[in-house]
Amino acid sequence: MVRKLAFGLLFSISVGVGASFAQQGLANNQADFGEFIDRKGTYTRTASGKPSENYWQNEADYQIEVTLNEDEHVLSGKVTIDYTNNSPEELEFVWLQLEQNRFTEDSRGALTTPIQGYRYNGDADGGFDISAVQAKVGSKGSVSSKYLINDTRMQVWFNEPIPAKGGKATISMNFSFKVPEKGMDRMGRLKVEDGWIYAFAQWYPKMSVFDDIEGWNVEPYLGAGEFYLEYGDFDYKVTVPYDHIVVGSGKLMNPKDVLSKELQDRYAKAQASDETVYLVSPEEIQNTELTRPKQEGMITWHFQIENSRDVAFATSKTFIWDAAKINLPSGKTILAQSVYPKESDGEGAWSRSTEYSKASIEHYSQMWFEFPYETATNVAADIGGMEYPGLNFCRYTSKGEGLWGVTDHEFGHNWFPMIVGNNERRYAWMDEGFNTFINHYSTLAFNDGEYSSNLNQTRRYNNYFLNDNREGIDTYPDVARTSNLGMVAYMKPGIGLIMLREYILGPERFDNAFRSYIKTWAYKHPQPSDFFNHIENVAGENLSWFWKGWFFGNGNIDLAINGVVPYAGNYVVVLANKGDIPMPVLLEIEFEDGSKERQMIPVEIWQRGDTWNHMIKTDKKVTSVTIDPDKILPDVNLGNDHWPQPIYDED
């Protein structure tokens, strides 16, 4: 038996030449195009996806001083928070987050971790020690020491309420904690040959968000769900052994106090150099006489950052340290820098980290919105990849394409959620997914395409889209199955924006809308409805069908060609939507003379039903028709998007 390949028409419709192609009286699909969540304007947020003139947001400014006891692996210090209540109501108390309390045996996060463990494992012998709590309203209010702690939340009461619309309060306390070695892949400490690397995040008591949507946002810190934070200014000081190097979010305020004269000169040279400059070379790691201003005791590093939602820092005596200049679109220059142990050194590894960091920040600043902070720092640690304002922790064993990918991804998070401050505890897709999307373009741009993007071929993820255990994008990160989180939070929303830019709206309309969204919601707290509304209003397109199907649904795309029929000197393409999500139909038509033509058929054809007859007006002979010729859509059935289809005859 021999199989012989032939080509012919697949007629799944009972029509012939000269037959009528009038649309049938089918039930319509208007429900797919209607509203699916309440996106009406409110007192504080407009229907066009902007903060209204009544929008308000509270502010938290921090002064922090801490000291590291390297022998005991304990960080201790004091935090003072100046809190401004811009809301329209008085506040009798405030809520804070104590995320180090996740590292106890009876924390909610520990008790909801699967027995077999997962990425967000953590030590269980830590947690905050809190003392000397003081809270007062205004400069003359009486001091309250009333508080309660429940898991990773802390409620602090005042003797009188904080006035609405600009009332101020001060909360201060002492705190300390044992630094976990395994810090849920977000912070912790790593032992290398020359000493310990400390990666400090979630390291101080911080304000919970009080907003116009939920009031107090008090979801506990469990694991997968990340952070939702108020904006403010930070002034923090870190005291460490003299032989340590400290890098942190923001600007180093006292380089003359913590760097030797030689390092000060190299620091200045790096700030003016497009090429990477060593501040501490691999051979100089232990040469403290050359690189440190003193040879004993402790030393204090001072940092500041403005309009930020968080700060993180790293400290170690094991660091190689290099840096280079970042050029921003405004003409301003800032510093890219990397710190890593000798175990991470190498031309194929962390010696390219600063090159990667510089390229990443420059690309996003040019493409979307200018980077606002004074430094962009990449830290080698025992952490897969985690982001904070102006500072990343990335795996110290990463190399080559892997190091580029994690560095670029974590720096991309400075746009989502550091600049655009969405609620990561609930809507991981608004930071992970948006970031995965912008990573696609930065990777394509880096070094003329040295590395490949995971989103180059969206159909590689079709196995997930066809899996019965798949979950929707709107699944909260702490609820999603661990095996699904990468798709739910990262890849599926990233693919959604790829489709929106490259297929549905086109780059110009999409870029106008996306840039406007970032600028409009910079340093504010957008909700999903704000994003949807803003993109629609700036791009000029009702996209309810897309948001509903892709972001708030679990269905799939399956566009099909049922047949191509000669008709009245032209051709009719019989199209079908066999999937769950309507989509515009981009056709590529090839003619007998080898020429090609593309036609985009709008999504509204599916409002009336699941089939549509499209006329190709031509005096040429049509030899093939293809849906989505560039394979932008993750269409789950590859066999029905091309005409003619192969027919197998058995002989």
Side-chain angles (χ1 to χ4, degrees):
M1 189 74 66
V2 178
R3 289 184 177 272
K4 183 171 64 176
L5 181 62
F7 291 93
L9 297 178
L10 278 184
F11 289 102
S12 59
I13 53 171
S14 56
V15 295
V17 178
S20 172
F21 283 94
Q23 298 300 319
Q24 301 300 309
L26 303 175
N28 66 49
N29 293 323
Q30 185 55 41
D32 292 337
F33 290 80
E35 293 299 336
F36 59 100
I37 59 174
D38 185 0
R39 292 199 278 148
K40 296 177 182 178
T42 67
Y43 182 73
T44 55
R45 297 163 190 261
T46 70
S48 63
K50 294 181 178 181
S52 79
E53 61 181 5
N54 303 306
Y55 178 84
W56 55 266
Q57 188 172 300
N58 291 351
E59 180 178 342
D61 301 317
Y62 294 82
Q63 292 185 343
I64 314 172
E65 296 185 9
V66 290
T67 298
L68 173 65
N69 181 331
E70 191 170 24
D71 294 333
E72 302 294 332
H73 304 303
V74 170
L75 189 75
S76 59
K78 179 179 181 179
V79 58
T80 300
I81 306 170
D82 294 321
Y83 186 69
T84 303
N85 175 26
N86 293 314
S87 81
E89 59 183 288
E90 295 181 338
L91 298 178
E92 297 177 345
F93 56 81
V94 295
W95 283 97
L96 288 82
Q97 300 182 41
L98 302 181
E99 285 146 349
Q100 283 297 317
N101 283 357
R102 169 62 176 78
F103 301 108
T104 61
E105 290 185 351
D106 60 352
S107 71
R108 289 194 182 191
L111 295 174
T112 55
T113 297
I115 293 174
Q116 69 272 22
Y118 68 148
R119 173 184 173 182
Y120 304 105
N121 290 339
D123 293 351
D125 60 347
F128 274 124
D129 289 325
I130 300 292
S131 63
V133 177
Q134 295 189 335
K136 68 176 183 178
V137 173
S139 59
K140 298 181 180 179
S142 60
V143 175
S144 169
S145 58
K146 181 181 178 181
Y147 69 93
L148 66 83
I149 293 175
N150 179 269
D151 194 53
T152 59
R153 288 96 33 111
M154 178 180 187
Q155 188 177 31
V156 176
W157 294 80
F158 300 91
N159 289 335
E160 54 190 298
I162 310 173
K165 299 182 178 180
K168 296 184 180 296
T170 303
I171 307 103
S172 64
M173 66 193 74
N174 297 332
F175 66 92
S176 66
F177 63 91
K178 181 181 178 182
V179 185
E181 189 165 355
K182 297 296 182 183
M184 295 174 58
D185 208 25
R186 294 209 167 100
M187 56 90 62
R189 52 189 166 94
L190 167 67
K191 184 70 168 65
V192 293
E193 182 177 334
D194 291 323
W196 287 94
I197 295 174
Y198 294 89
F200 282 104
Q202 290 77 59
W203 57 279
Y204 59 95
K206 62 187 70 169
M207 296 301 305
S208 297
V209 173
F210 184 76
D211 65 21
D212 59 314
I213 303 298
E214 296 291 333
W216 286 108
N217 286 260
V218 292
E219 283 90 351
Y221 180 35
L222 299 179
E226 294 188 0
F227 312 107
Y228 185 37
L229 303 167
E230 297 285 18
Y231 287 91
D233 299 336
F234 290 78
D235 185 302
Y236 64 105
K237 297 178 179 179
V238 180
T239 300
V240 294
Y242 77 93
D243 54 358
H244 275 227
I245 289 169
V246 182
V247 290
S249 299
K251 183 178 181 180
L252 176 62
M253 303 303 296
N254 63 336
K256 293 182 179 180
D257 296 334
V258 297
L259 306 179
S260 68
K261 182 62 170 65
E262 177 64 25
L263 249 63
Q264 292 176 46
D265 292 342
R266 296 179 186 180
Y267 196 71
K269 180 180 178 182
Q271 290 175 315
S273 173
D274 284 313
E275 302 298 325
T276 302
V277 172
Y278 275 124
L279 279 71
V280 178
S281 71
E283 297 75 28
E284 296 169 341
I285 292 175
Q286 296 182 356
N287 188 353
T288 60
E289 291 185 359
L290 175 68
T291 60
R292 311 298 199 274
K294 56 186 289 186
Q295 302 303 308
E296 61 181 359
M298 306 289 281
I299 194 165
T300 299
W301 297 62
H302 182 194
F303 299 89
Q304 290 181 353
I305 189 170
E306 296 179 351
N307 211 9
S308 180
R309 48 178 262 160
D310 199 3
V311 287
F313 71 93
T315 180
S316 181
K317 65 180 181 180
T318 74
F319 283 150
I320 300 167
W321 186 10
D322 63 37
K325 176 182 63 169
I326 292 174
N327 303 292
L328 298 178
S330 66
K332 180 182 178 181
T333 61
I334 59 172
L335 192 69
Q337 59 182 355
S338 302
V339 289
Y340 48 96
K342 64 186 182 186
E343 287 86 348
S344 305
D345 190 24
E347 183 58 34
W350 274 78
S351 63
R352 294 191 70 185
S353 168
T354 293
E355 174 195 355
Y356 295 159
S357 304
K358 170 182 167 68
S360 183
I361 297 295
E362 289 179 347
H363 171 84
Y364 297 129
S365 295
Q366 185 68 47
M367 184 84 175
W368 304 115
F369 187 90
E370 183 161 306
F371 183 76
Y373 304 123
E374 295 293 330
T375 55
T377 304
N378 208 20
V379 179
D382 192 18
I383 296 165
M386 189 60 202
E387 73 282 355
Y388 300 93
L391 185 141
N392 306 329
F393 300 131
C394 294
R395 182 75 65 194
Y396 76 107
T397 56
S398 293
K399 298 179 180 179
E401 186 170 11
L403 181 58
W404 159 259
V406 67
T407 299
D408 181 57
H409 180 80
E410 306 313 334
F411 275 127
H413 273 305
N414 280 274
W415 282 263
F416 310 101
M418 306 308 166
I419 294 172
V420 181
N422 55 277
N423 185 343
E424 298 176 273
R425 288 271 163 91
R426 295 189 174 195
Y427 311 117
W429 59 271
M430 292 184 73
D431 69 292
E432 297 294 358
F434 291 8
N435 187 28
T436 299
F437 165 74
I438 66 174
N439 298 158
H440 170 69
Y441 296 99
S442 61
T443 298
L444 296 180
F446 175 67
N447 206 19
D448 296 324
E450 179 177 353
Y451 301 128
S452 60
S453 167
N454 288 331
L455 288 182
N456 265 343
Q457 298 176 331
T458 62
R459 297 184 183 188
R460 69 172 64 181
Y461 302 101
N462 279 359
N463 285 342
Y464 173 81
F465 297 136
L466 293 169
N467 190 312
D468 290 340
N469 292 322
R470 66 187 185 274
E471 295 172 284
I473 289 173
D474 57 328
T475 308
Y476 284 7
D478 283 318
V479 176
R481 295 188 181 195
T482 303
S483 59
N484 288 344
L485 186 61
M487 287 299 301
V488 166
Y490 295 73
M491 302 312 298
K492 188 178 180 183
I495 290 169
L497 295 191
I498 292 285
M499 289 192 287
L500 199 57
R501 184 179 194 266
E502 304 298 339
Y503 189 90
I504 298 169
L505 295 177
E508 185 174 10
R509 293 171 70 197
F510 177 88
D511 291 354
N512 288 339
F514 201 56
R515 288 168 183 153
S516 179
Y517 168 72
I518 297 171
K519 181 179 180 180
T520 298
W521 287 98
Y523 317 111
K524 296 181 177 67
H525 296 314
Q527 296 290 308
S529 58
D530 299 314
F531 172 71
F532 299 149
N533 286 342
H534 198 79
I535 295 298
E536 288 188 5
N537 276 265
V538 180
E541 193 76 29
N542 185 338
L543 296 165
S544 293
W545 55 272
F546 180 63
W547 310 130
K548 179 181 182 180
W550 192 257
F551 284 83
F552 275 68
N554 215 7
N556 285 314
I557 299 167
D558 183 9
L559 301 177
I561 300 175
N562 280 349
V564 177
V565 182
Y567 177 69
N570 296 292
Y571 292 84
V572 169
V573 182
V574 183
L575 300 171
N577 181 17
K578 298 185 176 182
D580 311 286
I581 302 174
M583 191 65 60
V585 182
L586 177 62
L587 296 180
E588 182 172 83
I589 304 142
E590 186 168 0
F591 302 96
E592 190 175 38
D593 63 7
S595 62
K596 296 180 180 180
E597 176 184 323
R598 290 189 175 191
Q599 297 179 8
M600 178 66 89
I601 307 169
V603 71
E604 284 82 4
I605 62 173
W606 307 124
Q607 287 183 313
R608 302 177 183 178
D610 295 331
T611 60
W612 182 261
N613 305 320
H614 173 68
M615 177 80 77
I616 300 174
K617 297 179 180 180
T618 181
D619 56 4
K620 299 179 181 181
K621 182 178 180 180
V622 173
T623 57
S624 72
V625 181
T626 302
I627 293 174
D628 183 25
D630 300 321
K631 305 296 185 287
I632 303 298
L633 303 178
D635 191 304
V636 295
N637 187 346
L638 309 183
N640 60 16
D641 59 2
H642 184 81
W643 174 90
Q645 296 180 359
I647 297 177
Y648 293 94
D649 291 333
E650 294 190 356
D651 191 349

